[in-house]
Amino acid sequence: MQIENLATDESTEKAAWEALEKSILYYRGRPIGTVAAYDNSVEALNYDQCFVRDFVSSALIFLVKGRTDIVRNFLEETLKLQPKERQLDAYKPGRGLIPASFKVVSDNGGEYLEADFGEHAIARVTPVDSCLWWIILLRAYVVATKDFSIAYQPEFQNGIRLIMEICLANRFDMYPTLLVPDGACMIDRRMGIYGHPLEIQVLFYTALRAARELLICRGNQDIVAAIDNRLPLLCAHIRQHYWIDIHRLNAIYRFKSEEYGKAAVNLFNIYVDSIPYYELDKWLPRKGGYLAGNVGPSQLDTRFFALGNLMAIISDLATEEQAQAIMTLIDERWDDLVGDMPMKICFPALEHEEYRIVTGCDPKNIPWSYHNAGSWPVLMWMLTAAAIKTDKTSLARKAIEIAQARLCEDEWPEYYDGKKGRLIGKQARNYQTWTIAGFLLAKELINDSSHLPLVSFDKLPLELVSRACEFEIGSVDPYIS
């Protein structure tokens, strides 16, 4: 029986690699990314493009396997697509943005890349997370290859600086978090996450730390100082104001509203009746907790969002105690958050009148589907990385085993529907690349945890630390107390 299972595991991984190879996108004879999905049975739409956020999963598995050329080509080509001049036209992408996606266009025997900054997307929302993922991936490339020269090239230094200028610019907001519209991240449709959604804040924090390692101080003193100022404020803000456990729930339950002045305890004027206390009281384990989905003026979104919580563990934004509590929550609420396919993008689903109002009756985001509490296999690699960080590897192995039993047979769908993730997504593409890459990456991480520093900060190679000091980049790791 064990021999049979081993053969099945090997055949599944072989099928995954064959599918991933087919997804590779070539430009002028060089590999530069992967298409979102390689499924010839349906119209391509924009799934034949390379999405920045989608490619990260593929890029990480390529780095693990030593296939660094495709990642370097991707970083170089996407940097060329970054607008470098200020635009006064409100319909043009702002300086420093990294596109949501790009495609290879053939014209009169030649090829060029056509970028999409959201102008072709549904609802025309410009992604905020592409810039952040790009910096995170650049750091992963440097850690994997020890090729510090790429990050220190003037064009890359300028690219990082332009992204930091967007994120750290003067603004109307008075929080250390980033104010963004709905649909600006992996959840790219209206789901009530406008404002200060957790996913963006965690990626912002991770990108700030990556940029702090990669920026040369000379000539970037103002940006470095701004990063040094923002990081501890952002970290403290998220840890304090986004955290929910039974003790915090009790404190919020006794909040007074309409408080004025510096002595106010209820800083965001959260109205107690807006919090689903009875559901949370039953659902929260005694030792479990998590980071809320969104915090802002009179807003505390108590939905659990997987990517934000898992990346908070990986990047050390969550304290060690909070990280353990998040994993305890996942363990004790396994049926809700993992079920028959790891794992829920968020929980619970918006239903009934709330669904109609918040999503605008979005037919794709019906309850327990797609972004509205659907199950996304790509999140498996983040769950695995978080499990390794918290010494909960048994949870990762269990999740991988569940996925392995279905993904290949189901032809690698983009997402799954239903409360337990038993149904293949109603509009899910087959052979979704980040589903394939997420599975392979989870397997590699659980088999060899030495790959974790590609996305984590607590075990940086000594070469990176010394090289950073040589280039006057400063302290590498001052923000994880």
Side-chain angles (χ1 to χ4, degrees):
M1 188 67 174
Q2 289 180 340
I3 295 175
E4 182 181 339
N5 288 339
L6 180 61
T8 302
D9 294 352
E10 290 177 351
S11 62
T12 299
E13 287 189 47
K14 181 181 178 181
W17 273 110
E18 289 174 353
L20 184 60
E21 291 290 342
K22 290 180 181 178
S23 75
I24 295 177
L25 185 66
Y26 289 86
Y27 174 57
R28 297 177 179 174
R30 300 189 307 156
I32 60 162
T34 50
V35 296
Y38 186 80
D39 184 0
N40 291 326
S41 65
V42 292
E43 184 182 359
L45 298 177
N46 62 347
Y47 282 84
D48 61 350
Q49 298 187 29
C50 179
F51 282 79
V52 171
R53 78 170 66 92
D54 292 34
F55 178 66
V56 170
S57 304
S58 298
L60 291 173
I61 190 64
F62 286 137
L63 290 176
V64 166
K65 290 298 186 179
R67 298 173 61 176
T68 59
D69 59 329
I70 185 172
V71 182
R72 184 181 183 112
N73 294 340
F74 170 87
L75 291 167
E76 291 175 341
E77 295 299 335
T78 47
L79 183 61
K80 293 175 185 176
L81 299 173
Q82 181 189 45
K84 304 299 193 296
E85 304 297 329
R86 293 191 184 277
Q87 299 283 356
L88 297 180
D89 187 339
Y91 289 101
K92 296 284 182 66
R95 183 172 73 163
L97 284 176
I98 297 293
S101 65
F102 61 85
K103 64 181 178 181
V104 177
V105 179
S106 299
D107 185 17
N108 296 325
E111 288 184 340
Y112 66 92
L113 297 182
E114 183 176 281
D116 181 5
F117 289 89
E119 62 265 43
H120 300 296
I122 294 174
R124 304 303 189 262
V125 178
T126 299
V128 175
D129 63 340
S130 293
C131 298
L132 308 176
W133 277 122
W134 187 88
I135 291 181
I136 294 167
L137 182 56
L138 174 60
R139 177 193 173 271
Y141 176 86
V142 170
V143 171
T145 64
K146 301 179 179 59
D147 180 8
F148 310 98
S149 63
I150 184 174
Y152 298 145
Q153 291 175 12
E155 55 268 35
F156 274 83
Q157 288 288 300
N158 187 51
I160 298 170
R161 180 185 177 90
L162 291 178
I163 294 172
M164 290 294 100
E165 285 180 353
I166 295 176
C167 296
L168 300 167
N170 293 330
R171 57 216 167 89
F172 290 102
D173 210 8
M174 290 187 67
Y175 307 135
T177 43
L178 277 182
L179 180 64
V180 299
D182 229 338
C185 55
M186 178 180 175
I187 297 177
D188 58 4
R189 298 164 77 96
R190 180 177 163 188
M191 270 287 291
I193 59 168
Y194 56 88
H196 307 86
L198 177 67
E199 178 176 331
I200 289 294
Q201 312 318 318
V202 176
L203 293 178
F204 180 34
Y205 173 83
T206 310
L208 285 175
R209 292 194 64 185
R212 185 63 175 85
E213 291 179 12
L214 299 173
L215 275 174
I216 300 171
C217 276
R218 288 192 298 270
N220 292 312
Q221 292 90 336
D222 56 337
I223 294 295
V224 170
I227 293 174
D228 285 347
N229 176 63
R230 183 66 71 86
L231 266 171
L233 297 175
L234 177 64
C235 183
H237 182 88
I238 298 295
R239 289 177 176 181
Q240 178 181 352
H241 298 298
Y242 281 67
W243 185 249
I244 296 177
D245 60 12
I246 196 63
H247 303 293
R248 178 67 175 159
L249 193 63
N250 267 300
I252 297 171
Y253 185 66
R254 298 172 65 84
F255 270 172
K256 296 178 182 179
S257 59
E258 311 298 334
E259 293 182 302
Y260 180 80
K262 293 183 178 180
V265 176
N266 186 0
L267 298 180
F268 296 94
N269 198 38
I270 304 299
Y271 295 107
V272 175
D273 289 344
S274 70
I275 308 297
Y277 279 100
Y278 295 110
E279 288 84 354
L280 276 176
D281 184 39
K282 290 185 294 183
W283 193 70
L284 266 174
R286 187 172 61 87
K287 294 185 178 181
Y290 64 102
L291 294 165
N294 213 329
V295 176
S298 299
Q299 180 185 26
L300 179 62
D301 186 343
T302 58
R303 284 176 291 175
F304 174 89
F305 287 85
L307 192 152
N309 275 277
L310 296 174
M311 284 300 296
I313 295 173
I314 296 166
S315 67
D316 294 304
L317 174 53
T319 67
E320 186 173 341
E321 182 180 10
Q322 288 174 340
Q324 290 292 335
I326 293 168
M327 296 306 291
T328 295
L329 174 75
I330 293 172
D331 187 14
E332 297 202 19
R333 296 295 175 261
W334 186 265
D335 285 346
D336 291 332
L337 300 177
V338 178
D340 286 354
M341 180 55 64
M343 71 174 294
K344 289 293 181 191
I345 190 171
C346 67
F347 183 89
L350 297 172
E351 297 185 285
H352 311 302
E353 193 64 20
E354 188 178 25
Y355 152 73
R356 288 187 284 272
I357 293 172
V358 173
T359 74
C361 298
D362 186 344
K364 198 167 184 178
N365 274 332
I366 58 174
W368 308 106
S369 177
Y370 202 45
H371 300 136
N372 193 8
S375 299
W376 291 71
V378 66
L379 296 170
M380 192 169 20
W381 78 258
M382 299 178 205
L383 175 61
T384 302
I388 294 170
K389 286 273 293 187
T390 53
D391 197 24
K392 303 278 189 181
T393 54
S394 61
L395 296 182
R397 295 183 190 280
K398 183 179 175 182
I400 292 170
E401 185 177 341
I402 291 170
Q404 189 162 259
R406 296 186 60 191
L407 282 178
C408 187
E409 183 178 343
D410 293 344
E411 298 183 316
W412 312 99
E414 181 182 15
Y415 64 95
Y416 285 78
D417 286 348
K419 288 188 177 182
K420 302 295 183 184
R422 291 179 178 176
L423 305 171
I424 296 175
K426 183 177 290 188
Q427 297 186 47
R429 291 297 173 113
N430 290 335
Y431 297 98
Q432 187 78 16
T433 304
W434 68 352
T435 294
I436 298 164
F439 167 75
L440 289 172
L441 184 55
K443 294 276 287 188
E444 290 293 336
L445 286 170
I446 203 66
N447 290 333
D448 186 356
S449 62
S450 68
H451 300 306
L452 190 61
L454 292 177
V455 289
S456 185
F457 291 86
D458 58 343
K459 294 181 181 178
L460 287 173
L462 292 176
E463 296 93 334
L464 183 56
V465 178
S466 60
R467 189 74 172 183
C469 294
E470 178 183 337
F471 278 82
E472 299 180 8
I473 298 178
S475 176
V476 172
D477 207 17
Y479 304 109
I480 61 170
S481 59

